[in-house]
Amino acid sequence: MSIAYLLGKGSSKPLRYKPNIPLLLVLSIIPDIDIIFDLLTGAQLHRGPSHSVVVAIVAFIPFFIVYRKKAIPYFLALISHSLIGDFFIGGQVQLLWPLSTTQFGLQELGSYYISIFNPINIVLELTLFTIATVVLYKTNDWKVFFTNNKSNLILIIPIFTVLLPTTIGYPFSKPLLTTEPFLAIAHLFYLVLFSIAVLKALLSIYKHRFKPPINSKG
Ligand SMILES: [Zn+2]
């Protein structure tokens, strides 16, 4: 999410465009929707079709046609998940599905395997998380999570597909919070931030729906 945020932010600057931050973050995590899919169906598709760059390009064609250059930050946010995050950490990504089921990653290139729990990954994740949080704060982007914006409801997706399951346990054998508290820091941060945003959006919808008419005389 940090990489996608920084990439989305950086690429939208020359376009003189202010991207939707929650959407960037959601797109960056969308490929991992296969974690919950595997859990519910018993399939083993993780790092498969949803992580394919081919699928991402096809899915983005309509958005490139309609929004042109403005779709770039969102596209980068989506593909950064497979091409940067998962490629270097863990690998085994089917980048070219359905054209090929070959798995790609740093390890597949002949380098050594870096797992999620490898200290290199923990340091990298914490560093990127810190940089992203500083940028989020300095640019006032954090404020978007405290607005009554209905589009913030999309943050329900990362809460229930990735943040909550990994913090509790799945797909790991034990909760991330007990096995790798350092990795859990960022998870908890985003979990709290996103929950506030979703609750605010829900509350504003509720208030809007049940607000009495202004000129009501009872
Ligand atoms: Zn992934």
Side-chain angles (χ1 to χ4, degrees):
M1 280 198 279
S2 300
I3 293 172
Y5 169 63
L6 296 170
L7 268 178
K9 206 65 197 146
S11 60
S12 58
K13 218 168 181 175
L15 300 170
R16 288 196 205 116
Y17 166 65
K18 215 174 169 329
N20 180 312
I21 306 300
L23 186 56
L24 282 178
L25 298 177
V26 169
L27 282 167
S28 80
I29 219 158
I30 277 281
D32 275 352
I33 213 152
D34 57 9
I35 293 177
I36 211 82
F37 182 81
D38 284 2
L39 175 71
L40 295 175
T41 62
Q44 283 198 314
L45 291 176
H46 189 44
R47 297 200 169 185
S50 65
H51 285 63
S52 162
V53 175
V54 178
V55 171
I57 292 170
V58 173
F60 254 81
I61 289 173
F63 298 105
F64 274 121
I65 293 171
V66 177
Y67 298 105
R68 310 252 160 188
K69 282 185 199 163
K70 282 185 180 174
I72 293 174
Y74 302 103
F75 178 70
L76 291 179
L78 177 64
I79 60 165
S80 69
H81 179 110
S82 314
L83 277 181
I84 304 174
D86 286 356
F87 185 90
F88 288 100
I89 310 301
Q92 301 178 344
V93 198
Q94 292 183 28
L95 290 178
L96 300 178
W97 190 93
L99 304 177
S100 159
T101 52
T102 307
Q103 297 182 329
F104 294 88
L106 197 64
Q107 188 196 15
E108 285 80 0
L109 287 179
S111 169
Y112 60 92
Y113 176 73
I114 307 173
S115 83
I116 290 173
F117 301 110
N118 189 304
I120 296 174
N121 178 53
I122 296 174
V123 171
L124 269 175
E125 275 202 31
L126 276 177
T127 309
L128 282 163
F129 169 64
T130 308
I131 297 169
T133 309
V134 169
V135 177
L136 197 72
Y137 178 74
K138 290 259 180 194
T139 55
N140 281 331
D141 278 348
W142 61 274
K143 287 182 180 168
V144 73
F145 298 97
F146 297 86
T147 58
N148 293 333
N149 208 332
K150 272 185 219 164
S151 69
N152 281 351
L153 283 180
I154 53 168
L155 292 167
I156 288 175
I157 300 169
I159 290 176
F160 286 103
T161 56
V162 178
L163 293 173
L164 216 48
T166 51
T167 309
I168 296 167
Y170 193 81
F172 311 115
S173 50
K174 282 180 184 156
L176 205 57
L177 205 57
T178 55
T179 51
E180 280 304 337
F182 280 118
L183 276 181
I185 292 172
H187 281 240
L188 285 177
F189 176 83
Y190 286 124
L191 197 56
V192 171
L193 194 66
F194 293 0
S195 301
I196 292 171
V198 167
L199 286 175
K200 281 214 84 163
L202 285 173
L203 205 66
S204 114
I205 292 168
Y206 175 80
K207 274 185 187 163
H208 201 77
R209 265 190 92 114
F210 298 101
K211 195 169 64 179
I214 294 165
N215 291 322
S216 167
K217 288 175 182 167

PDB file of all heavy atoms in Angstrom, residues 33-49 170-171:
ATOM      1  N   ILE A  33      -7.151 -10.262  -3.031  1.00  0.00           N
ATOM      2  CA  ILE A  33      -8.520 -10.700  -2.803  1.00  0.00           C
ATOM      3  C   ILE A  33      -8.582 -12.218  -2.976  1.00  0.00           C
ATOM      4  O   ILE A  33      -9.468 -12.885  -2.470  1.00  0.00           O
ATOM      5  CB  ILE A  33      -9.475  -9.950  -3.776  1.00  0.00           C
ATOM      6  CG1 ILE A  33     -10.820  -9.721  -3.113  1.00  0.00           C
ATOM      7  CG2 ILE A  33      -9.620 -10.643  -5.113  1.00  0.00           C
ATOM      8  CD1 ILE A  33     -11.556  -8.514  -3.627  1.00  0.00           C
ATOM      9  N   ASP A  34      -7.561 -12.776  -3.666  1.00  0.00           N
ATOM     10  CA  ASP A  34      -7.530 -14.238  -3.856  1.00  0.00           C
ATOM     11  C   ASP A  34      -7.282 -14.984  -2.548  1.00  0.00           C
ATOM     12  O   ASP A  34      -7.577 -16.165  -2.431  1.00  0.00           O
ATOM     13  CB  ASP A  34      -6.515 -14.642  -4.945  1.00  0.00           C
ATOM     14  CG  ASP A  34      -5.104 -14.164  -4.653  1.00  0.00           C
ATOM     15  OD1 ASP A  34      -4.849 -13.667  -3.535  1.00  0.00           O
ATOM     16  OD2 ASP A  34      -4.243 -14.278  -5.556  1.00  0.00           O
ATOM     17  N   ILE A  35      -6.768 -14.278  -1.523  1.00  0.00           N
ATOM     18  CA  ILE A  35      -6.551 -14.921  -0.217  1.00  0.00           C
ATOM     19  C   ILE A  35      -7.903 -15.350   0.349  1.00  0.00           C
ATOM     20  O   ILE A  35      -8.087 -16.491   0.766  1.00  0.00           O
ATOM     21  CB  ILE A  35      -5.849 -13.947   0.773  1.00  0.00           C
ATOM     22  CG1 ILE A  35      -4.419 -13.650   0.302  1.00  0.00           C
ATOM     23  CG2 ILE A  35      -5.837 -14.520   2.178  1.00  0.00           C
ATOM     24  CD1 ILE A  35      -3.671 -12.653   1.177  1.00  0.00           C
ATOM     25  N   ILE A  36      -8.850 -14.430   0.322  1.00  0.00           N
ATOM     26  CA  ILE A  36     -10.177 -14.710   0.876  1.00  0.00           C
ATOM     27  C   ILE A  36     -10.938 -15.666  -0.048  1.00  0.00           C
ATOM     28  O   ILE A  36     -11.694 -16.512   0.398  1.00  0.00           O
ATOM     29  CB  ILE A  36     -10.952 -13.382   1.148  1.00  0.00           C
ATOM     30  CG1 ILE A  36     -11.898 -13.560   2.333  1.00  0.00           C
ATOM     31  CG2 ILE A  36     -11.708 -12.863  -0.026  1.00  0.00           C
ATOM     32  CD1 ILE A  36     -11.245 -13.411   3.671  1.00  0.00           C
ATOM     33  N   PHE A  37     -10.672 -15.546  -1.359  1.00  0.00           N
ATOM     34  CA  PHE A  37     -11.305 -16.443  -2.328  1.00  0.00           C
ATOM     35  C   PHE A  37     -10.866 -17.886  -2.062  1.00  0.00           C
ATOM     36  O   PHE A  37     -11.689 -18.802  -2.029  1.00  0.00           O
ATOM     37  CB  PHE A  37     -10.921 -16.025  -3.758  1.00  0.00           C
ATOM     38  CG  PHE A  37     -11.572 -16.859  -4.829  1.00  0.00           C
ATOM     39  CD1 PHE A  37     -12.885 -16.608  -5.223  1.00  0.00           C
ATOM     40  CD2 PHE A  37     -10.891 -17.902  -5.436  1.00  0.00           C
ATOM     41  CE1 PHE A  37     -13.498 -17.380  -6.194  1.00  0.00           C
ATOM     42  CE2 PHE A  37     -11.488 -18.685  -6.414  1.00  0.00           C
ATOM     43  CZ  PHE A  37     -12.793 -18.413  -6.790  1.00  0.00           C
ATOM     44  N   ASP A  38      -9.558 -18.068  -1.835  1.00  0.00           N
ATOM     45  CA  ASP A  38      -9.027 -19.402  -1.537  1.00  0.00           C
ATOM     46  C   ASP A  38      -9.614 -19.944  -0.234  1.00  0.00           C
ATOM     47  O   ASP A  38      -9.933 -21.128  -0.129  1.00  0.00           O
ATOM     48  CB  ASP A  38      -7.484 -19.360  -1.421  1.00  0.00           C
ATOM     49  CG  ASP A  38      -6.827 -19.263  -2.795  1.00  0.00           C
ATOM     50  OD1 ASP A  38      -7.566 -19.188  -3.800  1.00  0.00           O
ATOM     51  OD2 ASP A  38      -5.580 -19.259  -2.863  1.00  0.00           O
ATOM     52  N   LEU A  39      -9.755 -19.066   0.750  1.00  0.00           N
ATOM     53  CA  LEU A  39     -10.292 -19.464   2.051  1.00  0.00           C
ATOM     54  C   LEU A  39     -11.735 -19.947   1.908  1.00  0.00           C
ATOM     55  O   LEU A  39     -12.132 -20.958   2.476  1.00  0.00           O
ATOM     56  CB  LEU A  39     -10.227 -18.278   3.031  1.00  0.00           C
ATOM     57  CG  LEU A  39     -10.853 -18.486   4.413  1.00  0.00           C
ATOM     58  CD1 LEU A  39     -10.019 -19.441   5.251  1.00  0.00           C
ATOM     59  CD2 LEU A  39     -11.000 -17.170   5.163  1.00  0.00           C
ATOM     60  N   LEU A  40     -12.524 -19.220   1.118  1.00  0.00           N
ATOM     61  CA  LEU A  40     -13.943 -19.533   0.983  1.00  0.00           C
ATOM     62  C   LEU A  40     -14.191 -20.731   0.072  1.00  0.00           C
ATOM     63  O   LEU A  40     -15.129 -21.492   0.291  1.00  0.00           O
ATOM     64  CB  LEU A  40     -14.715 -18.308   0.462  1.00  0.00           C
ATOM     65  CG  LEU A  40     -14.743 -17.090   1.391  1.00  0.00           C
ATOM     66  CD1 LEU A  40     -15.430 -15.916   0.716  1.00  0.00           C
ATOM     67  CD2 LEU A  40     -15.451 -17.424   2.711  1.00  0.00           C
ATOM     68  N   THR A  41     -13.353 -20.887  -0.953  1.00  0.00           N
ATOM     69  CA  THR A  41     -13.641 -21.933  -1.941  1.00  0.00           C
ATOM     70  C   THR A  41     -12.718 -23.144  -1.822  1.00  0.00           C
ATOM     71  O   THR A  41     -12.989 -24.186  -2.404  1.00  0.00           O
ATOM     72  CB  THR A  41     -13.492 -21.383  -3.370  1.00  0.00           C
ATOM     73  OG1 THR A  41     -12.132 -20.980  -3.553  1.00  0.00           O
ATOM     74  CG2 THR A  41     -14.417 -20.198  -3.618  1.00  0.00           C
ATOM     75  N   GLY A  42     -11.628 -23.001  -1.096  1.00  0.00           N
ATOM     76  CA  GLY A  42     -10.677 -24.103  -0.987  1.00  0.00           C
ATOM     77  C   GLY A  42      -9.758 -24.187  -2.200  1.00  0.00           C
ATOM     78  O   GLY A  42      -8.971 -25.119  -2.327  1.00  0.00           O
ATOM     79  N   ALA A  43      -9.868 -23.207  -3.096  1.00  0.00           N
ATOM     80  CA  ALA A  43      -9.007 -23.184  -4.289  1.00  0.00           C
ATOM     81  C   ALA A  43      -7.587 -22.767  -3.885  1.00  0.00           C
ATOM     82  O   ALA A  43      -7.355 -22.359  -2.744  1.00  0.00           O
ATOM     83  CB  ALA A  43      -9.572 -22.206  -5.303  1.00  0.00           C
ATOM     84  N   GLN A  44      -6.653 -22.903  -4.814  1.00  0.00           N
ATOM     85  CA  GLN A  44      -5.283 -22.459  -4.534  1.00  0.00           C
ATOM     86  C   GLN A  44      -4.839 -21.523  -5.641  1.00  0.00           C
ATOM     87  O   GLN A  44      -3.980 -21.855  -6.455  1.00  0.00           O
ATOM     88  CB  GLN A  44      -4.358 -23.657  -4.404  1.00  0.00           C
ATOM     89  CG  GLN A  44      -4.514 -24.341  -3.051  1.00  0.00           C
ATOM     90  CD  GLN A  44      -3.359 -25.232  -2.719  1.00  0.00           C
ATOM     91  OE1 GLN A  44      -2.919 -26.002  -3.565  1.00  0.00           O
ATOM     92  NE2 GLN A  44      -2.851 -25.129  -1.498  1.00  0.00           N
ATOM     93  N   LEU A  45      -5.466 -20.354  -5.661  1.00  0.00           N
ATOM     94  CA  LEU A  45      -5.201 -19.407  -6.747  1.00  0.00           C
ATOM     95  C   LEU A  45      -4.297 -18.270  -6.321  1.00  0.00           C
ATOM     96  O   LEU A  45      -4.041 -17.352  -7.094  1.00  0.00           O
ATOM     97  CB  LEU A  45      -6.526 -18.814  -7.260  1.00  0.00           C
ATOM     98  CG  LEU A  45      -7.454 -19.772  -8.022  1.00  0.00           C
ATOM     99  CD1 LEU A  45      -8.748 -19.065  -8.363  1.00  0.00           C
ATOM    100  CD2 LEU A  45      -6.782 -20.281  -9.282  1.00  0.00           C
ATOM    101  N   HIS A  46      -3.806 -18.299  -5.060  1.00  0.00           N
ATOM    102  CA  HIS A  46      -3.035 -17.153  -4.568  1.00  0.00           C
ATOM    103  C   HIS A  46      -1.820 -16.875  -5.445  1.00  0.00           C
ATOM    104  O   HIS A  46      -1.072 -17.770  -5.790  1.00  0.00           O
ATOM    105  CB  HIS A  46      -2.613 -17.368  -3.116  1.00  0.00           C
ATOM    106  CG  HIS A  46      -2.007 -16.134  -2.514  1.00  0.00           C
ATOM    107  ND1 HIS A  46      -2.556 -14.878  -2.687  1.00  0.00           N
ATOM    108  CD2 HIS A  46      -0.889 -15.953  -1.783  1.00  0.00           C
ATOM    109  CE1 HIS A  46      -1.792 -13.988  -2.071  1.00  0.00           C
ATOM    110  NE2 HIS A  46      -0.775 -14.604  -1.515  1.00  0.00           N
ATOM    111  N   ARG A  47      -1.660 -15.585  -5.771  1.00  0.00           N
ATOM    112  CA  ARG A  47      -0.614 -15.082  -6.678  1.00  0.00           C
ATOM    113  C   ARG A  47      -0.813 -15.627  -8.096  1.00  0.00           C
ATOM    114  O   ARG A  47       0.136 -15.772  -8.848  1.00  0.00           O
ATOM    115  CB  ARG A  47       0.782 -15.385  -6.136  1.00  0.00           C
ATOM    116  CG  ARG A  47       1.019 -14.671  -4.800  1.00  0.00           C
ATOM    117  CD  ARG A  47       2.472 -14.518  -4.450  1.00  0.00           C
ATOM    118  NE  ARG A  47       2.610 -13.610  -3.306  1.00  0.00           N
ATOM    119  CZ  ARG A  47       3.769 -13.189  -2.813  1.00  0.00           C
ATOM    120  NH1 ARG A  47       4.881 -13.581  -3.357  1.00  0.00           N
ATOM    121  NH2 ARG A  47       3.814 -12.355  -1.802  1.00  0.00           N
ATOM    122  N   GLY A  48      -2.068 -15.929  -8.425  1.00  0.00           N
ATOM    123  CA  GLY A  48      -2.427 -16.398  -9.761  1.00  0.00           C
ATOM    124  C   GLY A  48      -3.088 -15.303 -10.573  1.00  0.00           C
ATOM    125  O   GLY A  48      -2.551 -14.194 -10.660  1.00  0.00           O
ATOM    126  N   PRO A  49      -4.272 -15.590 -11.141  1.00  0.00           N
ATOM    127  CA  PRO A  49      -4.946 -14.656 -12.052  1.00  0.00           C
ATOM    128  C   PRO A  49      -5.061 -13.209 -11.543  1.00  0.00           C
ATOM    129  O   PRO A  49      -4.840 -12.276 -12.307  1.00  0.00           O
ATOM    130  CB  PRO A  49      -6.337 -15.271 -12.217  1.00  0.00           C
ATOM    131  CG  PRO A  49      -6.121 -16.728 -12.002  1.00  0.00           C
ATOM    132  CD  PRO A  49      -5.021 -16.848 -11.007  1.00  0.00           C
ATOM    133  N   TYR A 170      -5.214 -15.836   9.310  1.00  0.00           N
ATOM    134  CA  TYR A 170      -5.195 -16.300   7.931  1.00  0.00           C
ATOM    135  C   TYR A 170      -4.494 -15.327   6.997  1.00  0.00           C
ATOM    136  O   TYR A 170      -4.701 -14.136   7.115  1.00  0.00           O
ATOM    137  CB  TYR A 170      -6.639 -16.513   7.446  1.00  0.00           C
ATOM    138  CG  TYR A 170      -6.678 -17.270   6.151  1.00  0.00           C
ATOM    139  CD1 TYR A 170      -6.565 -18.639   6.132  1.00  0.00           C
ATOM    140  CD2 TYR A 170      -6.788 -16.585   4.945  1.00  0.00           C
ATOM    141  CE1 TYR A 170      -6.559 -19.325   4.939  1.00  0.00           C
ATOM    142  CE2 TYR A 170      -6.792 -17.268   3.752  1.00  0.00           C
ATOM    143  CZ  TYR A 170      -6.682 -18.630   3.751  1.00  0.00           C
ATOM    144  OH  TYR A 170      -6.664 -19.296   2.573  1.00  0.00           O
ATOM    145  N   PRO A 171      -3.638 -15.739   6.031  1.00  0.00           N
ATOM    146  CA  PRO A 171      -3.294 -17.109   5.670  1.00  0.00           C
ATOM    147  C   PRO A 171      -2.093 -17.673   6.441  1.00  0.00           C
ATOM    148  O   PRO A 171      -1.571 -18.700   6.062  1.00  0.00           O
ATOM    149  CB  PRO A 171      -2.949 -16.965   4.178  1.00  0.00           C
ATOM    150  CG  PRO A 171      -2.342 -15.610   4.080  1.00  0.00           C
ATOM    151  CD  PRO A 171      -3.007 -14.776   5.122  1.00  0.00           C
TER     152      PRO A 171
END
